[in-house]
């Protein structure tokens, strides 16, 4: 399959980059995900994050105290995933006092404040809610202040770049051993899906992947060539947005959706227990969410105009997955979840819940809590007919 070959080539590329990285390590150099080769500072005790949602990735390396070296970060984590942020803030209260360098956009980033914090190194994402390689003036001012910037990526090409990003962060923090342990497990878990999918002779089911369900009134936001669209590709789904939405995300019309109904509906969840009453059309998943709350929220969300009439919904092939997997080092768990939904016989022995629990137990300083995916209950599907 095309996607499987793509991932295998990406794996070979990763192996080469790791070997190249080992050679660079002796020279104190690192080539980041923006293809910039930079010399690491002698000390990495003061770290500036381009997004607060890099904390779970940082925690893979800094399990004893993920807050200790952070001197600044934007406020995206607590605003976009408040329940997830609360887990880390409860375990590491210092996170609440770390200086905020912006809110949830690159435009809100204060380079003056960042420089005043005197970080040794800044870890930014290729794209997203913080400074990117395109913010050349910001990068120039940080460089002039003697601050080394490295770019990582869990979002633009999540499956190609997660392992390399962890290796780069391990190099920056002098936590190479911890990074290597995670990369080995991550690669093995991804291979559990790609190896089996390579044996398939026919295309998988068509899927409508609805992006951030309930964020707006209009239908139908989706992801295509990037973000969680990449995870769907890797899970062996045929994304109906391909060829219709050229970029990473965009809109399908309701007419396109109804005229070519997908075999499977999957929505991404941005709701939380705190927002459920005010925003009842958002699917609720994530830290602290119980199974009934998650399933009830999906049942409400699929009753919207157009979505409720889809055969996939009426016949019970409707699911939801935690939206923030799109920007998480644990994205491989979402690949396993999607693969099991789309190819239940092929992956009948795969248990994504066990995979997620293992990742938290081995690589996180906070316990696994909550529901991160759900499926429409048979009674709810029957009610929509």
């Amino acid at each position: 399959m095309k996607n499987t070959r793509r991932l295998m080539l990406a794996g070979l590329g990763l192996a080469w980059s790791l070997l190249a990285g080992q050679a660079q390590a002796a020279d104190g150099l690192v080539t980041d995900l923006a293809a910039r080769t930079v010399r690491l500072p002698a000390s990495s005790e003061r770290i500036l994050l381009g997004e607060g949602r890099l904390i779970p990735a940082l925690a893979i390396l800094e399990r004893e105290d993920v807050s200790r070296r952070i001197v600044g970060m934007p406020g995206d984590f607590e605003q976009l995933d408040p329940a997830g942020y609360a887990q880390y803030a409860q375990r590491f209260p210092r996170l609440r006092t770390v200086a905020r360098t912006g809110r949830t956009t690159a435009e809100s980033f204060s380079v003056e404040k960042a420089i005043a914090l005197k970080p040794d190194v800044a870890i930014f994402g290729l794209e997203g809610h913080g400074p990117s390689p395109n913010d050349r003036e910001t990068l120039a001012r940080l460089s002039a202040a003697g601050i080394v910037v490295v770019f990582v990526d869990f979002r633009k090409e999540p499956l190609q770049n997660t392992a390399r990003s962890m290796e780069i962060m391990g190099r920056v923090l002098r936590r190479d051993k911890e990074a290597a342990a995670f990369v080995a497990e991550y690669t093995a878990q991804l291979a559990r899906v790609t190896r089996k999918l390579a044996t398939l002779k026919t295309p998988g089911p068509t899927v409508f992947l609805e992006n951030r369900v309930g964020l707006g009134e209009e239908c139908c936001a989706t992801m295509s060539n990037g973000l969680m669209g990449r995870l769907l590709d890797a899970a062996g789904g045929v994304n109906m947005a391909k060829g219709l939405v050229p970029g990473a995300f965009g809109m399908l019309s309701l007419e396109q959706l109804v005229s070519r109904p997908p075999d499977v509906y999957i929505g991404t969840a941005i709701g939380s227990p705190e927002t459920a009453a005010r925003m009842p059309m958002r699917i609720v998943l994530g830290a602290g969410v119980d199974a009934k709350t998650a399933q009830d929220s999906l049942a409400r969300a699929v009753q919207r105009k157009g979505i409720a009439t889809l055969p996939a919904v009426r016949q019970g092939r409707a699911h939801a997955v935690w939206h923030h997997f799109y920007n998480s080092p644990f994205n491989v768990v979402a690949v396993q979840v999607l693969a099991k939904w789309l190819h239940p016989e092929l992956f009948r022995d795969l248990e994504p819940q066990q995979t997620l629990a293992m990742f938290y137990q081995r690589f996180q300083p906070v316990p696994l809590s909550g529901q991160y995916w759900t499926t429409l209950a048979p009674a709810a599907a029957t009610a929509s007919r």
Side-chain angles (χ1 to χ4, degrees):
M1 294 176 69
K2 184 178 177 181
N3 291 327
T4 303
R5 288 198 300 272
R6 186 169 176 270
L7 285 171
M8 292 176 72
L9 289 173
L12 291 173
L14 170 64
W16 172 252
S17 69
L18 290 175
L19 289 172
Q22 289 171 5
Q24 282 190 327
D27 296 329
L29 300 174
V30 64
T31 300
D32 66 12
L33 266 298
R36 301 159 61 254
T37 298
V38 299
R39 183 172 297 282
L40 296 177
S43 169
S44 297
E45 289 301 303
R46 297 179 65 80
I47 295 171
L48 175 72
L49 296 180
E51 289 195 33
R53 286 179 296 169
L54 286 170
I55 284 175
L58 195 68
I60 290 169
L61 310 172
E62 299 265 85
R63 271 164 274 169
E64 292 301 317
D65 185 354
V66 70
S67 70
R68 183 177 67 84
R69 299 200 228 188
I70 304 173
V71 298
M73 62 182 185
D76 58 292
F77 197 4
E78 62 259 43
Q79 292 186 43
L80 300 177
D81 180 18
Y85 169 76
Q87 274 195 301
Y88 294 89
Q90 183 176 7
R91 175 75 172 78
F92 305 107
R94 183 180 172 276
L95 286 174
R96 300 187 193 279
T97 67
V98 168
R100 298 313 194 248
T101 52
R103 296 183 295 278
T104 61
T105 63
E107 292 74 23
S108 67
F109 178 77
S110 170
V111 66
E112 294 83 5
K113 194 167 189 177
I115 291 172
L117 294 170
K118 299 181 178 178
D120 299 313
V121 61
I123 302 174
F124 291 169
L126 278 187
E127 61 177 29
H129 295 256
S132 77
N134 295 326
D135 296 310
R136 294 180 181 176
E137 182 177 345
T138 295
L139 298 183
R141 294 180 66 182
L142 292 173
S143 178
I147 300 166
V148 174
V149 178
V150 295
F151 285 96
V152 296
D153 176 45
F154 298 98
R155 167 193 166 112
K156 185 175 181 180
E157 292 292 348
L159 298 179
Q160 287 187 33
N161 290 341
T162 290
R164 178 65 183 143
S165 295
M166 290 307 306
E167 195 263 349
I168 290 171
M169 290 178 67
R171 188 80 45 76
V172 170
L173 274 67
R174 277 69 172 178
R175 300 283 195 196
D176 300 84
K177 192 187 297 185
E178 289 83 354
F182 176 80
V183 168
E185 188 62 56
Y186 177 92
T187 305
Q189 292 297 335
L190 185 58
R192 295 179 70 187
V193 175
T194 57
R195 275 201 301 262
K196 283 195 172 183
L197 282 178
T199 66
L200 283 183
K201 305 298 183 188
T202 57
T206 58
V207 179
F208 171 49
L209 179 61
E210 187 171 17
N211 186 17
R212 298 184 296 181
V213 175
L215 181 66
E217 295 290 328
E218 57 186 351
C219 185
C220 310
T222 189
M223 290 179 271
S224 181
N225 299 297
L227 311 175
M228 202 168 282
R230 296 293 192 223
L231 310 188
L232 177 58
D233 294 342
V238 177
N239 190 340
M240 64 178 296
K242 288 288 180 67
L244 299 172
V245 175
F249 56 90
M251 299 292 290
L252 292 175
S253 69
L254 187 56
E255 290 72 23
Q256 288 172 320
L257 191 62
V258 172
S259 64
R260 299 194 318 176
D263 297 319
V264 178
Y265 168 90
I266 298 173
T268 72
I270 57 172
S272 68
E274 291 74 23
T275 62
R278 287 184 291 114
M279 304 166 185
M281 288 301 107
R282 293 188 177 190
I283 302 170
V284 179
L285 288 172
V289 176
D290 63 76
K292 185 175 186 308
T293 298
Q295 208 166 54
D296 288 351
S297 69
L298 174 59
R300 285 194 304 273
V302 297
Q303 292 308 310
R304 289 168 299 138
K305 180 183 176 183
I307 303 298
T309 62
L310 293 176
V313 172
R314 293 162 66 89
Q315 297 166 13
R317 298 188 302 277
H319 314 275
V321 65
W322 186 56
H323 179 76
H324 300 285
F325 274 128
Y326 89 101
N327 194 23
S328 163
F330 304 119
N331 51 45
V332 67
V333 179
V335 174
Q336 292 190 355
V337 170
L338 300 178
K340 195 173 178 78
W341 285 337
L342 302 177
H343 308 279
E345 283 302 313
L346 188 64
F347 292 105
R348 60 183 179 278
D349 297 330
L350 189 62
E351 296 295 343
Q353 186 65 38
Q354 292 181 8
T355 304
L356 184 59
M358 175 275 297
F359 272 125
Y360 268 76
Q361 183 178 19
R362 287 190 60 192
F363 299 106
Q364 287 293 280
V366 297
L368 175 61
S369 162
Q371 295 287 316
Y372 289 80
W373 55 88
T374 190
T375 291
L376 191 65
T382 301
S384 68
R385 292 175 186 169

